[in-house]
Amino acid sequence: MTKMNTETCMEQTEQYVLHTYNRFPVAFEKGEGVHLYDVEGKEYLDFAAGIAVFALGYHNEAYNQALKDQIDQVIHTSNLYYHVPLAEAAKKVVEATGMDKVFFTNSGTEAIEGAIKTARKYAWLKDGSTDHEIIAMEHSFHGRSMGALSVTGTAHYQEPFKPLIGGIKFAQFNDLDSVKAQITEKTCAIILETVQGEGGIYPADPEFLQGIRTLCDEKDILLILDEIQCGMGRTGSMFAYQDYGVMPDIVTCAKALGCGVPVGAFALNKKTAENSLVPGDHGTTYGGNPFACAAVSKVFDLFKEQKIVEHVKQVTPYFEQKLDELVEKYDCFESRRGKGLMQGLVVTGKTVGEITAKALENGLLVISAGSNVLRFVPPLVITEADIDEMAEKLEKSL
Ligand SMILES: *Cc1c(COP(=O)(O)O)cnc(C)c1O
């Protein structure tokens, strides 16, 4: 078989793959640490990490070996049977989130679906009615399936696919009064990202999140925190809410959870787990299979061994300082916001697309968030030298 070059790979992909993505004109072949290499051998510094997925860096020997070992044992058995990787991964997720039970899915979107179903079942068990409401946030992103799309606060994502699921109301992120204004006797859950990702990198204000927790406690409303992007160490704590002193009733997780193996999860506290889904209510063929669980399990082990969360905390000030310097130096950067290794620069006078395209030419992978934010979600193992390399390549691209 002759090796495909970039052009052939692009042509063949566009010929056969449904065009739902405008892809960057590059075809990647392999990764090493924080770098990716395209089929022509060109090196790229990766500050996108497959959209906040590859936390541990590419070609991590221990992670790869764990996956190879599991492949040689068994890849899939279904949820009709017990297996050790599930028992191990579940314990690790429950302990890390501070929740009581977990359900494994194949994606973040499916974790959101599970969370929505859990909230509705919880409310249904209380009063038997079927007109409960969920409050979601403007500019949120929770996924593309009908349920997840229904709580995603971006009109143009929703419009062509209506009618969506009913009973969803929207409030303004970081505006507690706007949330209060949407609460009725029918409200069964409030769903939000602890740090909004796709919408433009907006961390929740502590008073906002704490205020929501109080509201939920007063009215027995379930708080669903979507930590699919901001969880797994990215913001400098294992889950972002742990830095706010706020516990959710349900937390959703995916992206870095499997570090590249497609897996998600929703975890529930005791009250929610004991008063919601039971056999027959929910299921998945693949979800939590031995291969995916071996990945999750190894990811948690490596986070501990490599002190990933501590490293994020330690490298964040330098990262913020470098980005702040760029804001000061270049008119096209209006401001910086973010938390830990989840950062955004607000772009003005240029499009984010111009910058990401130029950066690609200069061997730097960065992506957009919202309409005008340049997003940085690098592997969590980046060093100060990688940050310097990023800044240098970005400056060259302006
Ligand atoms: C990516 C993302 C999702 C959707 O996850 P998928 O794995 O793409 O289905 C949901 N919520 C947030 C906050 C995300 O960043």
Side-chain angles (χ1 to χ4, degrees), residues 186-257:
K186 293 292 177 188
T187 308
C188 70
I190 299 176
I191 181 168
L192 69 151
E193 296 150 88
T194 316
V195 182
Q196 286 194 332
E198 305 298 316
I201 316 291
Y202 291 94
D205 295 335
E207 312 77 59
F208 176 67
L209 200 58
Q210 286 152 11
I212 288 195
R213 182 64 269 178
T214 304
L215 277 177
C216 288
D217 288 341
E218 283 167 7
K219 301 187 186 291
D220 195 23
I221 294 168
L222 296 180
L223 173 57
I224 304 170
L225 288 181
D226 181 349
E227 293 250 350
I228 290 169
Q229 188 159 162
C230 63
M232 295 301 290
R234 179 149 299 277
T235 65
S237 44
M238 196 62 197
F239 290 92
Y241 56 82
Q242 289 162 343
D243 200 33
Y244 287 82
V246 167
M247 291 295 279
D249 298 292
I250 306 174
V251 56
T252 59
C253 188
K255 290 198 163 86
L257 178 64

Coordinates of all heavy atoms in Angstrom, one line a residue, residues 186-257:
K186 N -42.5 23.4 38.5 CA -42.2 22.2 37.6 C -40.7 22.0 37.4 O -40.3 21.1 36.7 CB -42.9 22.5 36.3 CG -44.4 22.4 36.3 CD -44.9 21.0 36.7 CE -46.4 21.0 36.9 NZ -46.8 19.6 37.4
T187 N -39.9 23.0 37.8 CA -38.4 22.8 37.6 C -37.9 21.6 38.2 O -38.0 21.4 39.5 CB -37.7 24.1 38.1 OG1 -38.3 25.2 37.6 CG2 -36.2 24.0 37.6
C188 N -37.2 20.7 37.4 CA -36.7 19.5 38.0 C -35.1 19.5 38.0 O -34.5 18.8 38.8 CB -37.2 18.2 37.4 SG -36.6 18.0 35.7
A189 N -34.5 20.4 37.2 CA -33.1 20.4 37.1 C -32.6 21.7 36.5 O -33.3 22.4 35.8 CB -32.6 19.2 36.3
I190 N -31.4 22.0 36.9 CA -30.6 23.2 36.3 C -29.4 22.6 35.8 O -28.7 21.8 36.5 CB -30.3 24.3 37.3 CG1 -31.6 24.8 37.9 CG2 -29.5 25.4 36.7 CD1 -31.4 25.9 39.0
I191 N -29.1 22.8 34.5 CA -27.9 22.2 33.9 C -27.0 23.4 33.4 O -27.4 24.3 32.8 CB -28.2 21.3 32.7 CG1 -27.0 20.7 32.1 CG2 -29.1 21.9 31.6 CD1 -27.2 19.5 31.2
L192 N -25.7 23.2 33.7 CA -24.7 24.2 33.2 C -23.3 23.6 33.2 O -23.1 22.6 33.9 CB -24.7 25.5 34.1 CG -24.2 25.4 35.5 CD1 -23.7 26.8 35.9 CD2 -25.4 25.1 36.4
E193 N -22.5 24.2 32.4 CA -21.0 23.9 32.4 C -20.4 24.8 33.5 O -20.7 26.0 33.6 CB -20.4 24.3 31.1 CG -20.9 23.5 29.9 CD -20.8 24.3 28.6 OE1 -19.8 24.3 28.0 OE2 -21.8 25.0 28.3
T194 N -19.6 24.2 34.3 CA -18.9 24.9 35.4 C -18.0 26.0 34.7 O -17.9 27.1 35.2 CB -18.0 24.0 36.3 OG1 -18.8 22.8 36.6 CG2 -17.6 24.6 37.6
V195 N -17.3 25.6 33.7 CA -16.7 26.6 32.8 C -17.2 26.4 31.4 O -17.0 25.3 30.8 CB -15.2 26.5 32.8 CG1 -14.5 27.5 31.9 CG2 -14.6 26.5 34.2
Q196 N -17.9 27.4 30.9 CA -18.5 27.2 29.5 C -17.3 27.1 28.5 O -16.4 27.9 28.5 CB -19.4 28.4 29.1 CG -20.7 28.4 29.8 CD -21.8 29.3 29.2 OE1 -21.4 30.4 28.7 NE2 -23.0 29.0 29.3
G197 N -17.4 26.1 27.6 CA -16.3 25.9 26.7 C -16.6 26.4 25.3 O -16.2 27.5 25.0
E198 N -17.4 25.6 24.6 CA -17.7 26.0 23.2 C -18.3 27.5 23.1 O -18.0 28.2 22.1 CB -18.7 25.1 22.5 CG -18.3 23.6 22.6 CD -17.1 23.3 21.8 OE1 -16.9 23.8 20.7 OE2 -16.2 22.5 22.3
G199 N -19.0 27.8 24.1 CA -19.7 29.2 24.1 C -18.7 30.3 24.2 O -19.1 31.5 24.0
G200 N -17.4 30.1 24.5 CA -16.5 31.1 24.6 C -15.6 31.2 25.8 O -15.1 32.3 26.1
I201 N -15.4 30.1 26.5 CA -14.6 30.1 27.7 C -15.0 31.1 28.8 O -14.3 32.1 29.0 CB -13.1 30.2 27.4 CG1 -12.7 29.4 26.1 CG2 -12.2 29.9 28.6 CD1 -12.6 27.9 26.3
Y202 N -16.1 30.8 29.4 CA -16.6 31.6 30.5 C -16.7 30.8 31.8 O -17.5 29.9 32.0 CB -18.0 32.1 30.3 CG -18.2 33.1 29.1 CD1 -18.5 32.7 27.8 CD2 -18.0 34.5 29.4 CE1 -18.6 33.6 26.8 CE2 -18.2 35.4 28.4 CZ -18.5 35.0 27.1 OH -18.6 35.9 26.1
P203 N -15.7 31.1 32.8 CA -15.8 30.4 34.1 C -17.1 30.9 34.8 O -17.4 32.1 34.8 CB -14.5 30.8 34.8 CG -13.6 31.3 33.7 CD -14.5 31.9 32.7
A204 N -17.7 30.0 35.6 CA -18.8 30.5 36.5 C -18.2 31.3 37.6 O -17.2 31.1 38.1 CB -19.5 29.3 37.0
D205 N -19.0 32.4 37.9 CA -18.6 33.2 39.1 C -18.9 32.3 40.3 O -20.0 31.7 40.4 CB -19.4 34.5 39.2 CG -19.1 35.4 38.1 OD1 -18.0 35.3 37.5 OD2 -20.0 36.2 37.7
P206 N -18.1 32.3 41.4 CA -18.3 31.5 42.6 C -19.7 31.8 43.2 O -20.4 30.9 43.6 CB -17.2 31.9 43.5 CG -16.1 32.3 42.6 CD -16.7 33.0 41.4
E207 N -20.1 33.1 43.3 CA -21.4 33.4 43.9 C -22.5 32.9 43.1 O -23.6 32.5 43.6 CB -21.6 34.9 44.0 CG -20.4 35.7 44.6 CD -19.3 35.9 43.6 OE1 -19.6 36.5 42.5 OE2 -18.2 35.4 43.8
F208 N -22.4 32.9 41.7 CA -23.4 32.3 40.9 C -23.6 30.8 41.1 O -24.7 30.4 41.3 CB -23.0 32.6 39.4 CG -23.9 32.0 38.4 CD1 -25.2 32.5 38.2 CD2 -23.5 31.0 37.5 CE1 -26.1 32.0 37.3 CE2 -24.4 30.4 36.6 CZ -25.7 30.9 36.5
L209 N -22.5 30.1 41.1 CA -22.6 28.6 41.3 C -23.1 28.3 42.7 O -24.0 27.4 42.8 CB -21.2 28.0 41.0 CG -21.3 26.5 40.7 CD1 -22.2 26.2 39.5 CD2 -19.9 26.0 40.5
Q210 N -22.6 29.0 43.7 CA -23.1 28.8 45.0 C -24.5 29.1 45.2 O -25.3 28.4 45.9 CB -22.2 29.5 46.0 CG -20.8 28.9 46.2 CD -19.7 29.8 46.5 OE1 -19.9 31.0 46.9 NE2 -18.4 29.4 46.5
G211 N -24.9 30.2 44.5 CA -26.3 30.6 44.6 C -27.3 29.6 43.9 O -28.4 29.3 44.4
I212 N -26.8 29.0 42.8 CA -27.6 28.0 42.2 C -27.7 26.8 43.1 O -28.8 26.2 43.2 CB -27.0 27.6 40.8 CG1 -27.2 28.7 39.8 CG2 -27.5 26.3 40.3 CD1 -27.0 28.4 38.4
R213 N -26.6 26.4 43.7 CA -26.7 25.3 44.6 C -27.7 25.5 45.8 O -28.5 24.6 46.1 CB -25.3 25.0 45.2 CG -25.1 23.9 46.2 CD -25.3 22.5 45.6 NE -26.7 22.0 45.6 CZ -27.1 20.9 45.1 NH1 -26.3 20.1 44.5 NH2 -28.3 20.5 45.2
T214 N -27.7 26.7 46.3 CA -28.7 27.0 47.3 C -30.1 26.9 46.8 O -31.0 26.3 47.5 CB -28.4 28.5 47.9 OG1 -27.0 28.5 48.3 CG2 -29.3 28.8 49.0
L215 N -30.4 27.5 45.7 CA -31.7 27.4 45.0 C -32.1 26.0 44.9 O -33.3 25.6 45.2 CB -31.7 28.0 43.6 CG -31.8 29.5 43.4 CD1 -31.7 29.9 42.0 CD2 -33.1 30.0 44.0
C216 N -31.2 25.2 44.4 CA -31.5 23.7 44.2 C -31.8 23.0 45.5 O -32.8 22.2 45.5 CB -30.3 23.0 43.5 SG -30.2 23.5 41.7
D217 N -31.1 23.4 46.5 CA -31.3 22.7 47.8 C -32.7 23.1 48.4 O -33.4 22.3 48.9 CB -30.2 23.2 48.8 CG -28.9 22.5 48.5 OD1 -28.9 21.5 47.8 OD2 -27.9 23.0 49.0
E218 N -33.0 24.4 48.2 CA -34.3 24.9 48.7 C -35.5 24.2 48.1 O -36.5 23.9 48.7 CB -34.4 26.4 48.5 CG -33.6 27.3 49.5 CD -33.5 28.7 49.0 OE1 -34.2 29.1 48.0 OE2 -32.7 29.5 49.6
K219 N -35.4 23.9 46.8 CA -36.6 23.5 46.0 C -36.4 22.0 45.6 O -37.2 21.6 44.7 CB -36.8 24.4 44.9 CG -37.0 25.8 45.3 CD -37.4 26.7 44.1 CE -37.5 28.2 44.5 NZ -38.7 28.5 45.4
D220 N -35.4 21.3 46.1 CA -35.2 19.9 45.6 C -35.1 19.8 44.1 O -35.7 19.0 43.5 CB -36.2 19.0 46.2 CG -35.7 17.5 46.0 OD1 -34.5 17.3 45.9 OD2 -36.6 16.6 46.0
I221 N -34.3 20.8 43.5 CA -34.0 20.7 42.1 C -32.7 20.1 41.9 O -31.8 20.4 42.7 CB -34.0 22.2 41.5 CG1 -35.4 22.8 41.6 CG2 -33.5 22.3 40.1 CD1 -35.4 24.3 41.4
L222 N -32.5 19.3 40.9 CA -31.2 18.6 40.7 C -30.2 19.6 40.0 O -30.6 20.1 39.0 CB -31.3 17.3 39.9 CG -32.2 16.2 40.7 CD1 -32.2 15.0 39.8 CD2 -31.6 15.9 42.0
L223 N -29.0 19.7 40.5 CA -28.0 20.5 39.8 C -27.1 19.5 39.0 O -26.5 18.6 39.5 CB -27.1 21.2 40.8 CG -25.9 21.9 40.3 CD1 -26.3 23.0 39.2 CD2 -25.1 22.6 41.4
I224 N -27.2 19.7 37.7 CA -26.4 18.9 36.7 C -25.2 19.8 36.3 O -25.4 20.8 35.6 CB -27.2 18.5 35.5 CG1 -28.4 17.8 35.9 CG2 -26.3 17.7 34.5 CD1 -29.4 17.5 34.7
L225 N -24.0 19.4 36.6 CA -22.8 20.2 36.2 C -22.2 19.4 35.0 O -21.8 18.2 35.2 CB -21.8 20.4 37.3 CG -22.3 21.4 38.3 CD1 -21.2 21.6 39.4 CD2 -22.6 22.8 37.7
D226 N -22.1 20.0 33.9 CA -21.4 19.4 32.7 C -19.9 19.7 32.8 O -19.5 20.9 32.6 CB -22.0 20.0 31.4 CG -21.4 19.4 30.2 OD1 -20.4 18.7 30.3 OD2 -22.0 19.6 29.1
E227 N -19.1 18.7 33.1 CA -17.7 18.9 33.3 C -17.0 18.1 32.1 O -15.9 17.6 32.3 CB -17.2 18.4 34.6 CG -17.7 19.3 35.8 CD -16.6 20.1 36.4 OE1 -15.4 19.9 36.1 OE2 -17.0 21.0 37.2
I228 N -17.7 18.0 31.0 CA -17.1 17.2 29.9 C -15.8 17.8 29.4 O -14.9 17.1 29.1 CB -18.2 17.1 28.8 CG1 -19.3 16.1 29.3 CG2 -17.6 16.6 27.5 CD1 -20.6 16.1 28.4
Q229 N -15.8 19.2 29.3 CA -14.6 19.9 28.8 C -13.7 20.4 30.0 O -12.5 20.3 29.9 CB -15.0 21.0 27.9 CG -13.8 21.7 27.2 CD -14.2 22.5 26.0 OE1 -13.4 23.3 25.5 NE2 -15.3 22.2 25.4
C230 N -14.4 20.9 31.0 CA -13.6 21.5 32.1 C -13.1 20.6 33.2 O -12.3 20.9 34.0 CB -14.3 22.7 32.7 SG -15.9 22.2 33.5
G231 N -13.6 19.3 33.1 CA -13.3 18.4 34.2 C -11.9 17.7 33.9 O -11.2 18.0 33.0
M232 N -11.6 16.7 34.7 CA -10.4 15.9 34.5 C -9.1 16.7 34.6 O -8.2 16.6 33.8 CB -10.5 15.1 33.2 CG -11.6 14.0 33.2 SD -11.5 12.8 34.5 CE -10.0 11.8 34.0
G233 N -9.1 17.5 35.6 CA -7.8 18.2 35.9 C -7.6 19.5 35.1 O -6.6 20.3 35.5
R234 N -8.4 19.8 34.1 CA -8.0 20.9 33.2 C -8.0 22.2 33.9 O -7.1 23.1 33.5 CB -9.1 20.9 32.0 CG -8.8 22.0 31.1 CD -9.2 21.8 29.6 NE -8.5 20.6 29.1 CZ -7.3 20.7 28.5 NH1 -6.6 21.8 28.5 NH2 -6.8 19.6 28.0
T235 N -8.8 22.5 34.9 CA -8.8 23.8 35.5 C -8.0 23.9 36.7 O -8.0 24.9 37.4 CB -10.2 24.3 35.8 OG1 -10.8 23.4 36.8 CG2 -11.2 24.2 34.6
G236 N -7.2 22.8 37.0 CA -6.4 22.9 38.2 C -6.9 22.2 39.4 O -6.3 22.1 40.5
S237 N -8.1 21.6 39.3 CA -8.6 20.6 40.3 C -9.2 19.5 39.5 O -9.5 19.6 38.3 CB -9.7 21.2 41.2 OG -10.6 22.0 40.5
M238 N -9.4 18.3 40.1 CA -9.8 17.2 39.3 C -11.1 17.5 38.5 O -11.2 17.2 37.3 CB -10.0 15.9 40.2 CG -10.0 14.6 39.4 SD -8.5 14.3 38.5 CE -9.0 13.1 37.3
F239 N -12.1 18.1 39.3 CA -13.3 18.6 38.6 C -13.4 20.1 39.0 O -13.1 20.4 40.1 CB -14.5 17.8 39.0 CG -14.4 16.4 38.3 CD1 -13.8 15.4 39.0 CD2 -14.8 16.2 37.0 CE1 -13.7 14.1 38.4 CE2 -14.7 15.0 36.4 CZ -14.1 13.9 37.1
A240 N -13.8 20.9 38.1 CA -13.8 22.3 38.3 C -14.6 22.7 39.5 O -14.3 23.6 40.3 CB -14.3 23.1 37.1
Y241 N -15.8 22.0 39.8 CA -16.6 22.4 40.9 C -15.9 22.3 42.2 O -16.3 22.9 43.2 CB -18.0 21.6 40.9 CG -17.9 20.1 40.9 CD1 -17.6 19.4 42.1 CD2 -18.0 19.4 39.7 CE1 -17.6 18.0 42.1 CE2 -17.9 18.0 39.7 CZ -17.7 17.3 40.9 OH -17.6 16.0 40.9
Q242 N -14.9 21.4 42.3 CA -14.2 21.2 43.5 C -13.5 22.4 44.0 O -13.2 22.6 45.2 CB -13.3 20.0 43.4 CG -14.0 18.7 43.3 CD -13.2 17.5 42.7 OE1 -12.2 17.7 42.1 NE2 -13.8 16.3 42.9
D243 N -13.2 23.3 43.1 CA -12.6 24.6 43.4 C -13.6 25.6 43.9 O -13.2 26.7 44.3 CB -11.8 25.1 42.1 CG -10.8 26.1 42.5 OD1 -10.2 25.9 43.6 OD2 -10.5 27.0 41.7
Y244 N -14.9 25.3 43.8 CA -15.9 26.3 44.1 C -16.6 25.9 45.4 O -17.5 26.6 45.9 CB -17.0 26.3 43.0 CG -16.7 27.0 41.7 CD1 -15.9 26.3 40.8 CD2 -17.1 28.3 41.5 CE1 -15.6 26.9 39.6 CE2 -16.8 28.9 40.3 CZ -16.0 28.2 39.3 OH -15.7 28.8 38.1
G245 N -16.3 24.7 46.0 CA -16.9 24.3 47.2 C -18.4 23.9 46.9 O -19.2 24.1 47.8
V246 N -18.7 23.6 45.7 CA -20.1 23.2 45.3 C -20.1 21.8 44.8 O -19.3 21.4 44.0 CB -20.6 24.2 44.2 CG1 -21.9 23.7 43.6 CG2 -20.8 25.6 44.8
M247 N -21.1 21.0 45.3 CA -21.2 19.7 44.7 C -22.4 19.6 43.9 O -23.5 20.1 44.2 CB -21.3 18.6 45.9 CG -20.1 18.4 46.7 SD -18.7 17.7 45.7 CE -19.2 16.0 45.8
P248 N -22.3 19.0 42.7 CA -23.5 18.7 41.8 C -24.3 17.5 42.4 O -23.8 16.8 43.2 CB -22.9 18.4 40.5 CG -21.6 17.8 40.8 CD -21.1 18.4 42.1
D249 N -25.5 17.4 41.9 CA -26.3 16.1 42.1 C -25.9 15.1 41.0 O -25.9 13.9 41.3 CB -27.8 16.4 42.1 CG -28.1 17.3 43.2 OD1 -28.0 16.9 44.4 OD2 -28.5 18.5 42.9
I250 N -25.6 15.6 39.8 CA -25.2 14.8 38.7 C -24.1 15.5 38.0 O -24.1 16.7 37.8 CB -26.3 14.6 37.7 CG1 -27.6 14.1 38.3 CG2 -25.9 13.7 36.5 CD1 -28.8 14.0 37.4
V251 N -23.0 14.8 37.7 CA -21.9 15.4 36.9 C -21.7 14.6 35.6 O -21.8 13.3 35.7 CB -20.6 15.5 37.7 CG1 -20.2 14.1 38.3 CG2 -19.5 16.1 36.9
T252 N -21.5 15.3 34.5 CA -21.2 14.6 33.3 C -19.7 14.8 32.9 O -19.1 15.8 33.2 CB -22.0 15.1 32.1 OG1 -21.8 16.5 32.0 CG2 -23.5 14.9 32.4
C253 N -19.1 13.7 32.3 CA -17.7 13.7 32.1 C -17.5 13.0 30.7 O -18.3 12.1 30.4 CB -17.0 12.9 33.2 SG -15.3 13.0 33.2
A254 N -16.5 13.4 30.0 CA -16.1 12.7 28.8 C -14.7 13.2 28.3 O -13.9 13.3 29.2 CB -17.2 12.8 27.7
K255 N -14.6 13.6 27.1 CA -13.3 14.2 26.6 C -12.1 13.5 27.2 O -11.7 12.4 26.8 CB -13.4 15.7 26.7 CG -14.4 16.3 25.7 CD -14.2 17.7 25.4 CE -14.9 18.2 24.1 NZ -16.3 18.5 24.3
A256 N -11.4 14.1 28.2 CA -10.2 13.6 28.7 C -10.4 12.3 29.6 O -9.4 11.7 30.0 CB -9.5 14.6 29.6
L257 N -11.6 11.9 29.8 CA -11.9 10.7 30.7 C -11.2 9.5 30.1 O -10.7 8.7 30.9 CB -13.4 10.5 30.8 CG -13.9 9.3 31.6 CD1 -13.5 9.4 33.1 CD2 -15.4 9.2 31.5

